[in-house]
């Protein structure tokens, strides 16, 4: 439950001086960290520096932004651009392992307000974004690296 998530991350924060990025990935953990819990952790734990938001919900990200100024990183390549339009600041990206400059271009252009260029690169990469978001993405990334002769 939400109180359990709060107590878990608070205990980690109290046990370290290292920066902490919250990961909100319900498809991997079986629970969604609600915006109120994120805001509570942000306000109570100075070591929390950002959240990787991978719920797939712009409503949740919008509510987090409404409740607190925590930096929000997209946890889903396909939602990076929409998330940045509501105040997100970047991405923890799978696709950047294959096309780092193009992913960086989307983030940099969105951050500087060049939405047309960011959008054009998003559309250009969208099919690949959807492909690398599959459950076996590590196998896929390794395969693509081999295809591109980046590893042997």
């Amino acid at each position: 439950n939400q109180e359990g998530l709060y107590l878990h991350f608070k205990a980690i924060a109290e046990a370290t001086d290292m920066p902490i990025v919250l990961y909100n990935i319900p498809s991997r953990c079986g629970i969604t960290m609600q915006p109120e819990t994120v805001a509570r952790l942000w306000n109570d734990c100075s070591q929390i520096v950002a959240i990787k938001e991978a719920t797939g919900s712009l409503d949740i990200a919008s509510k987090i932004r409404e409740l607190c100024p925590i930096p929000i990183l997209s946890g889903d390549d396909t939602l990076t651009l929409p998330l940045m339009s509501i105040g997100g600041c970047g991405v923890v990206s799978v696709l950047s392992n294959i096309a780092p400059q193009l992913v960086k271009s989307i983030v940099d252009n969105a951050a500087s307000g060049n939405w047309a260029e960011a959008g054009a690169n998003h559309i250009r990469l969208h099919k690949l974004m959807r492909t690398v978001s599959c459950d076996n993405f590590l196998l896929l990334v390794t395969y693509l690296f081999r295809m591109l002769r980046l590893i042997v």
Side-chain angles (χ1 to χ4, degrees), residues 1-147:
N1 65 24
Q2 297 304 301
E3 185 64 15
L5 287 171
Y6 173 82
L7 293 172
H8 172 76
F9 284 106
K10 188 168 185 343
I12 293 170
E14 289 172 350
T16 185
D17 290 330
M18 295 183 69
I20 298 169
V21 175
L22 300 174
Y23 270 45
N24 199 9
I25 313 172
S27 65
R28 301 263 191 252
C29 330
I31 187 169
T32 299
M33 191 180 313
Q34 294 299 319
E36 294 78 9
T37 303
V38 173
R40 190 173 164 208
L41 285 163
W42 172 257
N43 290 325
D44 294 350
C45 305
S46 62
Q47 296 90 334
I48 294 175
V49 298
I51 183 168
K52 175 183 176 181
E53 177 49 39
T55 61
S57 170
L58 289 176
D59 288 336
I60 288 176
S62 297
K63 184 68 174 179
I64 291 169
R65 174 57 58 236
E66 177 186 323
L67 294 174
C68 67
I70 189 171
I72 302 173
L73 302 167
S74 177
D76 180 344
D77 285 297
T78 63
L79 291 178
T80 301
L81 185 60
L83 188 65
M84 290 189 73
S85 76
I86 60 165
C89 61
V91 61
V92 178
S93 171
V94 173
L95 185 58
S96 65
N97 290 290
I98 300 162
Q101 292 305 317
L102 291 171
V103 172
K104 184 177 184 313
S105 173
I106 292 170
V107 172
D108 289 349
N109 279 300
S112 66
N114 188 351
W115 297 103
E117 185 67 25
N121 281 333
H122 172 88
I123 297 302
R124 178 178 171 199
L125 292 173
H126 189 257
K127 185 174 182 180
L128 187 56
M129 288 176 187
R130 291 181 46 86
T131 301
V132 301
S133 69
C134 69
D135 284 337
N136 295 320
F137 72 89
L138 288 176
L139 293 173
L140 179 62
V141 168
T142 302
Y143 173 75
L144 291 171
F145 273 161
R146 286 197 174 123
M147 281 183 56

